[in-house]
Amino acid sequence: MPVIALLAAVVAVTVEQLVQWKYGPMGIAGLLLLTIGLKAKNATCSSIGAVVLALMVTGPAG
């Protein structure tokens, strides 16, 4: 059980670092909102986080 928790923590930190490296502070904010929304079962918070991440991935329109 501790090995699974350790691997999950390593994966979470790795994903966070990749998002920050590629998308900057707004990417981290979107990931944070999405994570908090999912853990708190708050649809509004998770939706805002998902939209922020989607906008960061698609880039500027035009």
Side-chain angles (χ1 to χ4, degrees):
M1 186 71 163
V3 174
I4 294 172
L6 180 63
L7 287 175
V10 168
V11 169
V13 169
T14 303
V15 168
E16 181 181 342
Q17 291 297 319
L18 286 172
V19 168
Q20 185 176 9
W21 170 69
K22 183 144 175 109
Y23 302 112
M26 282 303 292
I28 289 296
L31 185 62
L32 184 65
L33 282 169
L34 180 63
T35 304
I36 290 172
L38 290 175
K39 287 187 180 196
K41 295 184 172 127
N42 185 337
T44 304
C45 188
S46 58
S47 296
I48 291 171
V51 167
V52 168
L53 285 176
L55 289 174
M56 296 302 295
V57 170
T58 57

Short mmCIF file of all heavy atoms in Angstrom, two decimals:
data_model
loop_
_atom_site.label_atom_id
_atom_site.label_comp_id
_atom_site.label_asym_id
_atom_site.label_seq_id
_atom_site.Cartn_x
_atom_site.Cartn_y
_atom_site.Cartn_z
N MET A 1 0.81 -1.21 0.00
CA MET A 1 0.00 0.00 0.00
C MET A 1 0.86 1.27 0.00
O MET A 1 0.57 2.18 -0.76
CB MET A 1 -0.93 -0.06 1.22
CG MET A 1 -1.92 1.06 1.25
SD MET A 1 -3.15 0.84 -0.02
CE MET A 1 -4.39 1.92 0.54
N PRO A 2 1.91 1.38 0.82
CA PRO A 2 2.73 2.59 0.78
C PRO A 2 3.42 2.80 -0.57
O PRO A 2 3.65 3.93 -0.98
CB PRO A 2 3.77 2.38 1.88
CG PRO A 2 3.19 1.36 2.79
CD PRO A 2 2.32 0.50 1.93
N VAL A 3 3.71 1.71 -1.27
CA VAL A 3 4.36 1.82 -2.58
C VAL A 3 3.41 2.48 -3.58
O VAL A 3 3.81 3.34 -4.36
CB VAL A 3 4.82 0.43 -3.08
CG1 VAL A 3 5.35 0.52 -4.49
CG2 VAL A 3 5.86 -0.14 -2.15
N ILE A 4 2.14 2.11 -3.53
CA ILE A 4 1.15 2.70 -4.44
C ILE A 4 0.98 4.19 -4.15
O ILE A 4 0.92 5.00 -5.07
CB ILE A 4 -0.19 1.95 -4.32
CG1 ILE A 4 -0.02 0.52 -4.82
CG2 ILE A 4 -1.27 2.66 -5.11
CD1 ILE A 4 -1.23 -0.36 -4.58
N ALA A 5 0.94 4.54 -2.87
CA ALA A 5 0.82 5.96 -2.49
C ALA A 5 2.04 6.74 -2.94
O ALA A 5 1.92 7.87 -3.42
CB ALA A 5 0.63 6.08 -0.98
N LEU A 6 3.21 6.16 -2.81
CA LEU A 6 4.44 6.82 -3.24
C LEU A 6 4.45 7.02 -4.75
O LEU A 6 4.80 8.09 -5.25
CB LEU A 6 5.65 6.01 -2.80
CG LEU A 6 7.02 6.58 -3.18
CD1 LEU A 6 7.23 7.92 -2.50
CD2 LEU A 6 8.12 5.61 -2.81
N LEU A 7 4.05 6.00 -5.50
CA LEU A 7 4.00 6.12 -6.96
C LEU A 7 2.97 7.16 -7.39
O LEU A 7 3.24 7.94 -8.33
CB LEU A 7 3.67 4.77 -7.59
CG LEU A 7 4.79 3.74 -7.57
CD1 LEU A 7 4.30 2.40 -8.11
CD2 LEU A 7 5.98 4.23 -8.36
N ALA A 8 1.83 7.20 -6.71
CA ALA A 8 0.82 8.21 -7.04
C ALA A 8 1.35 9.62 -6.78
O ALA A 8 1.10 10.53 -7.57
CB ALA A 8 -0.45 7.96 -6.23
N ALA A 9 2.07 9.80 -5.69
CA ALA A 9 2.65 11.11 -5.38
C ALA A 9 3.69 11.50 -6.42
O ALA A 9 3.74 12.66 -6.85
CB ALA A 9 3.26 11.09 -3.99
N VAL A 10 4.50 10.57 -6.85
CA VAL A 10 5.53 10.87 -7.86
C VAL A 10 4.87 11.26 -9.18
O VAL A 10 5.29 12.21 -9.84
CB VAL A 10 6.47 9.65 -8.04
CG1 VAL A 10 7.34 9.80 -9.27
CG2 VAL A 10 7.33 9.47 -6.80
N VAL A 11 3.84 10.53 -9.57
CA VAL A 11 3.13 10.85 -10.81
C VAL A 11 2.48 12.23 -10.71
O VAL A 11 2.55 13.03 -11.65
CB VAL A 11 2.08 9.77 -11.14
CG1 VAL A 11 1.15 10.21 -12.25
CG2 VAL A 11 2.78 8.47 -11.51
N ALA A 12 1.87 12.54 -9.57
CA ALA A 12 1.21 13.83 -9.40
C ALA A 12 2.22 14.98 -9.49
O ALA A 12 1.96 15.99 -10.16
CB ALA A 12 0.49 13.87 -8.06
N VAL A 13 3.36 14.83 -8.85
CA VAL A 13 4.39 15.88 -8.90
C VAL A 13 4.94 16.01 -10.31
O VAL A 13 5.17 17.13 -10.80
CB VAL A 13 5.51 15.57 -7.88
CG1 VAL A 13 6.70 16.49 -8.09
CG2 VAL A 13 4.98 15.71 -6.46
N THR A 14 5.13 14.92 -11.00
CA THR A 14 5.64 14.95 -12.37
C THR A 14 4.67 15.67 -13.30
O THR A 14 5.08 16.53 -14.09
CB THR A 14 5.90 13.53 -12.88
OG1 THR A 14 6.80 12.88 -11.99
CG2 THR A 14 6.48 13.54 -14.27
N VAL A 15 3.39 15.35 -13.20
CA VAL A 15 2.38 16.01 -14.04
C VAL A 15 2.34 17.50 -13.73
O VAL A 15 2.29 18.34 -14.64
CB VAL A 15 0.99 15.37 -13.84
CG1 VAL A 15 -0.10 16.21 -14.45
CG2 VAL A 15 0.98 13.97 -14.42
N GLU A 16 2.40 17.85 -12.44
CA GLU A 16 2.38 19.27 -12.06
C GLU A 16 3.58 20.01 -12.63
O GLU A 16 3.44 21.13 -13.15
CB GLU A 16 2.38 19.38 -10.54
CG GLU A 16 2.33 20.81 -10.05
CD GLU A 16 2.36 20.91 -8.54
OE1 GLU A 16 2.08 19.90 -7.86
OE2 GLU A 16 2.67 22.00 -8.05
N GLN A 17 4.74 19.42 -12.58
CA GLN A 17 5.94 20.07 -13.11
C GLN A 17 5.88 20.22 -14.63
O GLN A 17 6.29 21.25 -15.17
CB GLN A 17 7.20 19.27 -12.71
CG GLN A 17 7.51 19.34 -11.24
CD GLN A 17 7.82 20.76 -10.79
OE1 GLN A 17 8.50 21.51 -11.46
NE2 GLN A 17 7.27 21.12 -9.65
N LEU A 18 5.35 19.20 -15.31
CA LEU A 18 5.22 19.29 -16.77
C LEU A 18 4.24 20.39 -17.18
O LEU A 18 4.49 21.14 -18.13
CB LEU A 18 4.78 17.94 -17.35
CG LEU A 18 5.85 16.87 -17.38
CD1 LEU A 18 5.25 15.53 -17.79
CD2 LEU A 18 6.98 17.25 -18.30
N VAL A 19 3.12 20.48 -16.46
CA VAL A 19 2.14 21.52 -16.76
C VAL A 19 2.74 22.89 -16.52
O VAL A 19 2.57 23.81 -17.32
CB VAL A 19 0.85 21.31 -15.93
CG1 VAL A 19 -0.06 22.52 -16.01
CG2 VAL A 19 0.11 20.08 -16.42
N GLN A 20 3.45 23.05 -15.40
CA GLN A 20 4.06 24.35 -15.09
C GLN A 20 5.12 24.71 -16.13
O GLN A 20 5.22 25.86 -16.56
CB GLN A 20 4.67 24.33 -13.71
CG GLN A 20 5.22 25.68 -13.29
CD GLN A 20 5.74 25.67 -11.87
OE1 GLN A 20 5.85 24.63 -11.25
NE2 GLN A 20 6.07 26.83 -11.37
N TRP A 21 5.89 23.74 -16.55
CA TRP A 21 6.94 24.01 -17.52
C TRP A 21 6.35 24.41 -18.87
O TRP A 21 6.81 25.34 -19.51
CB TRP A 21 7.81 22.76 -17.68
CG TRP A 21 8.78 22.83 -18.82
CD1 TRP A 21 9.87 23.63 -18.92
CD2 TRP A 21 8.70 22.09 -20.03
NE1 TRP A 21 10.50 23.42 -20.12
CE2 TRP A 21 9.81 22.47 -20.82
CE3 TRP A 21 7.83 21.13 -20.51
CZ2 TRP A 21 10.04 21.92 -22.07
CZ3 TRP A 21 8.08 20.59 -21.75
CH2 TRP A 21 9.17 20.98 -22.51
N LYS A 22 5.30 23.72 -19.29
CA LYS A 22 4.74 23.98 -20.61
C LYS A 22 3.75 25.14 -20.65
O LYS A 22 3.74 25.91 -21.60
CB LYS A 22 4.04 22.71 -21.12
CG LYS A 22 3.50 22.84 -22.51
CD LYS A 22 3.64 21.58 -23.28
CE LYS A 22 2.99 21.72 -24.62
NZ LYS A 22 3.89 21.78 -25.71
N TYR A 23 2.91 25.27 -19.61
CA TYR A 23 1.82 26.25 -19.65
C TYR A 23 1.94 27.37 -18.62
O TYR A 23 1.10 28.26 -18.59
CB TYR A 23 0.48 25.54 -19.50
CG TYR A 23 0.26 24.50 -20.57
CD1 TYR A 23 0.24 23.16 -20.26
CD2 TYR A 23 0.09 24.88 -21.89
CE1 TYR A 23 0.06 22.21 -21.25
CE2 TYR A 23 -0.09 23.94 -22.88
CZ TYR A 23 -0.11 22.60 -22.55
OH TYR A 23 -0.28 21.66 -23.53
N GLY A 24 2.91 27.32 -17.75
CA GLY A 24 3.15 28.40 -16.81
C GLY A 24 2.16 28.44 -15.66
O GLY A 24 1.47 27.46 -15.37
N PRO A 25 2.07 29.59 -15.01
CA PRO A 25 1.23 29.73 -13.82
C PRO A 25 -0.26 29.50 -14.08
O PRO A 25 -0.97 28.96 -13.23
CB PRO A 25 1.46 31.16 -13.36
CG PRO A 25 2.73 31.58 -14.00
CD PRO A 25 2.87 30.78 -15.24
N MET A 26 -0.75 29.89 -15.26
CA MET A 26 -2.17 29.66 -15.56
C MET A 26 -2.48 28.17 -15.69
O MET A 26 -3.55 27.71 -15.32
CB MET A 26 -2.59 30.40 -16.83
CG MET A 26 -2.81 31.87 -16.63
SD MET A 26 -4.03 32.24 -15.37
CE MET A 26 -5.51 31.65 -16.15
N GLY A 27 -1.55 27.41 -16.20
CA GLY A 27 -1.74 25.97 -16.28
C GLY A 27 -1.81 25.34 -14.90
O GLY A 27 -2.63 24.45 -14.65
N ILE A 28 -0.96 25.82 -14.00
CA ILE A 28 -0.99 25.32 -12.62
C ILE A 28 -2.30 25.70 -11.96
O ILE A 28 -2.91 24.90 -11.24
CB ILE A 28 0.21 25.86 -11.82
CG1 ILE A 28 1.49 25.20 -12.30
CG2 ILE A 28 0.04 25.63 -10.34
CD1 ILE A 28 1.56 23.71 -12.07
N ALA A 29 -2.77 26.93 -12.19
CA ALA A 29 -4.05 27.36 -11.61
C ALA A 29 -5.19 26.49 -12.12
O ALA A 29 -6.06 26.08 -11.34
CB ALA A 29 -4.30 28.83 -11.93
N GLY A 30 -5.20 26.19 -13.40
CA GLY A 30 -6.24 25.33 -13.96
C GLY A 30 -6.19 23.93 -13.39
O GLY A 30 -7.22 23.34 -13.05
N LEU A 31 -4.98 23.38 -13.28
CA LEU A 31 -4.82 22.05 -12.71
C LEU A 31 -5.25 22.03 -11.25
O LEU A 31 -5.91 21.09 -10.79
CB LEU A 31 -3.37 21.60 -12.85
CG LEU A 31 -3.04 20.17 -12.42
CD1 LEU A 31 -3.81 19.18 -13.26
CD2 LEU A 31 -1.56 19.92 -12.52
N LEU A 32 -4.91 23.08 -10.51
CA LEU A 32 -5.29 23.18 -9.10
C LEU A 32 -6.81 23.26 -8.95
O LEU A 32 -7.40 22.57 -8.12
CB LEU A 32 -4.63 24.39 -8.47
CG LEU A 32 -4.84 24.60 -6.98
CD1 LEU A 32 -4.20 23.46 -6.20
CD2 LEU A 32 -4.27 25.92 -6.55
N LEU A 33 -7.45 24.10 -9.77
CA LEU A 33 -8.91 24.20 -9.71
C LEU A 33 -9.58 22.88 -10.06
O LEU A 33 -10.55 22.47 -9.41
CB LEU A 33 -9.40 25.30 -10.65
CG LEU A 33 -9.24 26.73 -10.17
CD1 LEU A 33 -9.51 27.70 -11.32
CD2 LEU A 33 -10.17 27.01 -9.02
N LEU A 34 -9.07 22.22 -11.07
CA LEU A 34 -9.64 20.93 -11.47
C LEU A 34 -9.49 19.90 -10.36
O LEU A 34 -10.44 19.19 -10.02
CB LEU A 34 -8.96 20.44 -12.75
CG LEU A 34 -9.45 19.11 -13.31
CD1 LEU A 34 -10.91 19.20 -13.71
CD2 LEU A 34 -8.60 18.70 -14.49
N THR A 35 -8.32 19.83 -9.76
CA THR A 35 -8.06 18.86 -8.69
C THR A 35 -8.92 19.14 -7.46
O THR A 35 -9.53 18.23 -6.90
CB THR A 35 -6.58 18.89 -8.31
OG1 THR A 35 -5.80 18.64 -9.47
CG2 THR A 35 -6.27 17.83 -7.27
N ILE A 36 -8.98 20.40 -7.06
CA ILE A 36 -9.79 20.76 -5.89
C ILE A 36 -11.26 20.47 -6.16
O ILE A 36 -11.96 19.94 -5.30
CB ILE A 36 -9.57 22.24 -5.52
CG1 ILE A 36 -8.18 22.43 -4.95
CG2 ILE A 36 -10.62 22.71 -4.51
CD1 ILE A 36 -7.79 23.87 -4.73
N GLY A 37 -11.72 20.81 -7.35
CA GLY A 37 -13.11 20.56 -7.70
C GLY A 37 -13.47 19.08 -7.69
O GLY A 37 -14.54 18.69 -7.23
N LEU A 38 -12.56 18.25 -8.18
CA LEU A 38 -12.82 16.80 -8.19
C LEU A 38 -12.82 16.23 -6.77
O LEU A 38 -13.67 15.42 -6.43
CB LEU A 38 -11.79 16.09 -9.06
CG LEU A 38 -11.91 16.34 -10.56
CD1 LEU A 38 -10.75 15.68 -11.30
CD2 LEU A 38 -13.24 15.82 -11.08
N LYS A 39 -11.86 16.67 -5.95
CA LYS A 39 -11.80 16.13 -4.58
C LYS A 39 -12.96 16.61 -3.73
O LYS A 39 -13.46 15.87 -2.89
CB LYS A 39 -10.48 16.53 -3.93
CG LYS A 39 -9.32 15.75 -4.48
CD LYS A 39 -8.05 16.01 -3.72
CE LYS A 39 -6.94 15.19 -4.35
NZ LYS A 39 -5.79 15.08 -3.51
N ALA A 40 -13.41 17.86 -3.94
CA ALA A 40 -14.51 18.40 -3.16
C ALA A 40 -15.87 18.08 -3.79
O ALA A 40 -16.90 18.47 -3.25
CB ALA A 40 -14.35 19.92 -3.03
N LYS A 41 -15.84 17.42 -4.95
CA LYS A 41 -17.08 17.11 -5.70
C LYS A 41 -17.85 18.39 -6.01
O LYS A 41 -19.07 18.44 -5.88
CB LYS A 41 -17.92 16.10 -4.95
CG LYS A 41 -17.24 14.77 -4.84
CD LYS A 41 -18.09 13.74 -4.18
CE LYS A 41 -17.38 12.42 -4.30
NZ LYS A 41 -17.19 11.70 -3.13
N ASN A 42 -17.11 19.42 -6.41
CA ASN A 42 -17.69 20.71 -6.77
C ASN A 42 -17.61 20.84 -8.29
O ASN A 42 -16.53 21.04 -8.85
CB ASN A 42 -16.91 21.83 -6.08
CG ASN A 42 -17.52 23.18 -6.30
OD1 ASN A 42 -18.25 23.40 -7.26
ND2 ASN A 42 -17.22 24.11 -5.42
N ALA A 43 -18.74 20.73 -8.95
CA ALA A 43 -18.77 20.74 -10.41
C ALA A 43 -18.32 22.08 -10.99
O ALA A 43 -17.65 22.13 -12.02
CB ALA A 43 -20.16 20.40 -10.91
N THR A 44 -18.66 23.18 -10.32
CA THR A 44 -18.29 24.50 -10.82
C THR A 44 -16.78 24.68 -10.83
O THR A 44 -16.19 25.11 -11.83
CB THR A 44 -18.94 25.60 -9.96
OG1 THR A 44 -20.35 25.39 -9.95
CG2 THR A 44 -18.62 26.97 -10.51
N CYS A 45 -16.14 24.35 -9.73
CA CYS A 45 -14.69 24.51 -9.62
C CYS A 45 -13.96 23.61 -10.62
O CYS A 45 -13.03 24.06 -11.28
CB CYS A 45 -14.27 24.20 -8.18
SG CYS A 45 -12.56 24.57 -7.82
N SER A 46 -14.38 22.37 -10.72
CA SER A 46 -13.71 21.46 -11.64
C SER A 46 -13.96 21.86 -13.10
O SER A 46 -13.07 21.73 -13.94
CB SER A 46 -14.15 20.01 -11.40
OG SER A 46 -15.54 19.88 -11.54
N SER A 47 -15.14 22.40 -13.39
CA SER A 47 -15.43 22.85 -14.76
C SER A 47 -14.56 24.05 -15.13
O SER A 47 -14.04 24.11 -16.25
CB SER A 47 -16.89 23.23 -14.89
OG SER A 47 -17.70 22.10 -14.69
N ILE A 48 -14.40 24.99 -14.21
CA ILE A 48 -13.55 26.16 -14.48
C ILE A 48 -12.12 25.70 -14.71
O ILE A 48 -11.44 26.17 -15.64
CB ILE A 48 -13.65 27.17 -13.33
CG1 ILE A 48 -15.04 27.81 -13.30
CG2 ILE A 48 -12.57 28.25 -13.46
CD1 ILE A 48 -15.30 28.66 -12.08
N GLY A 49 -11.64 24.78 -13.89
CA GLY A 49 -10.28 24.26 -14.07
C GLY A 49 -10.11 23.57 -15.40
O GLY A 49 -9.10 23.74 -16.08
N ALA A 50 -11.11 22.79 -15.81
CA ALA A 50 -11.04 22.09 -17.09
C ALA A 50 -11.04 23.07 -18.26
O ALA A 50 -10.31 22.89 -19.23
CB ALA A 50 -12.20 21.11 -17.21
N VAL A 51 -11.85 24.12 -18.15
CA VAL A 51 -11.90 25.13 -19.22
C VAL A 51 -10.57 25.87 -19.31
O VAL A 51 -10.05 26.11 -20.41
CB VAL A 51 -13.07 26.11 -18.99
CG1 VAL A 51 -12.96 27.32 -19.88
CG2 VAL A 51 -14.39 25.40 -19.20
N VAL A 52 -9.98 26.23 -18.18
CA VAL A 52 -8.68 26.91 -18.19
C VAL A 52 -7.63 26.03 -18.84
O VAL A 52 -6.86 26.49 -19.70
CB VAL A 52 -8.26 27.31 -16.75
CG1 VAL A 52 -6.82 27.76 -16.71
CG2 VAL A 52 -9.17 28.41 -16.21
N LEU A 53 -7.60 24.76 -18.47
CA LEU A 53 -6.62 23.85 -19.08
C LEU A 53 -6.87 23.67 -20.57
O LEU A 53 -5.94 23.63 -21.37
CB LEU A 53 -6.65 22.49 -18.38
CG LEU A 53 -5.99 22.45 -17.00
CD1 LEU A 53 -6.18 21.08 -16.37
CD2 LEU A 53 -4.53 22.80 -17.09
N ALA A 54 -8.14 23.57 -20.96
CA ALA A 54 -8.46 23.43 -22.39
C ALA A 54 -8.01 24.65 -23.17
O ALA A 54 -7.48 24.53 -24.28
CB ALA A 54 -9.95 23.19 -22.56
N LEU A 55 -8.23 25.83 -22.61
CA LEU A 55 -7.79 27.06 -23.28
C LEU A 55 -6.27 27.13 -23.36
O LEU A 55 -5.71 27.62 -24.37
CB LEU A 55 -8.33 28.29 -22.56
CG LEU A 55 -9.83 28.52 -22.70
CD1 LEU A 55 -10.29 29.68 -21.81
CD2 LEU A 55 -10.20 28.81 -24.14
N MET A 56 -5.59 26.66 -22.34
CA MET A 56 -4.12 26.68 -22.37
C MET A 56 -3.57 25.70 -23.42
O MET A 56 -2.61 26.00 -24.09
CB MET A 56 -3.57 26.33 -20.99
CG MET A 56 -3.90 27.31 -19.89
SD MET A 56 -3.33 28.98 -20.20
CE MET A 56 -1.58 28.75 -20.20
N VAL A 57 -4.22 24.56 -23.57
CA VAL A 57 -3.74 23.54 -24.51
C VAL A 57 -4.01 23.97 -25.95
O VAL A 57 -3.17 23.81 -26.82
CB VAL A 57 -4.41 22.18 -24.21
CG1 VAL A 57 -4.13 21.18 -25.31
CG2 VAL A 57 -3.91 21.64 -22.89
N THR A 58 -5.20 24.56 -26.21
CA THR A 58 -5.54 24.93 -27.58
C THR A 58 -4.81 26.17 -28.05
O THR A 58 -4.63 26.36 -29.24
CB THR A 58 -7.06 25.16 -27.74
OG1 THR A 58 -7.48 26.16 -26.83
CG2 THR A 58 -7.81 23.88 -27.48
N GLY A 59 -4.42 27.02 -27.14
CA GLY A 59 -3.67 28.22 -27.49
C GLY A 59 -4.57 29.33 -27.97
O GLY A 59 -5.80 29.21 -27.95
N PRO A 60 -3.98 30.43 -28.40
CA PRO A 60 -4.80 31.57 -28.83
C PRO A 60 -5.53 31.28 -30.13
O PRO A 60 -5.01 30.60 -31.01
CB PRO A 60 -3.77 32.68 -29.03
CG PRO A 60 -2.48 32.00 -29.23
CD PRO A 60 -2.56 30.69 -28.48
N ALA A 61 -6.74 31.78 -30.21
CA ALA A 61 -7.55 31.61 -31.43
C ALA A 61 -7.13 32.65 -32.46
O ALA A 61 -7.15 33.83 -32.20
CB ALA A 61 -9.03 31.74 -31.10
N GLY A 62 -6.73 32.18 -33.60
CA GLY A 62 -6.40 33.11 -34.68
C GLY A 62 -4.99 33.24 -34.88
O GLY A 62 -4.02 33.32 -35.11
#
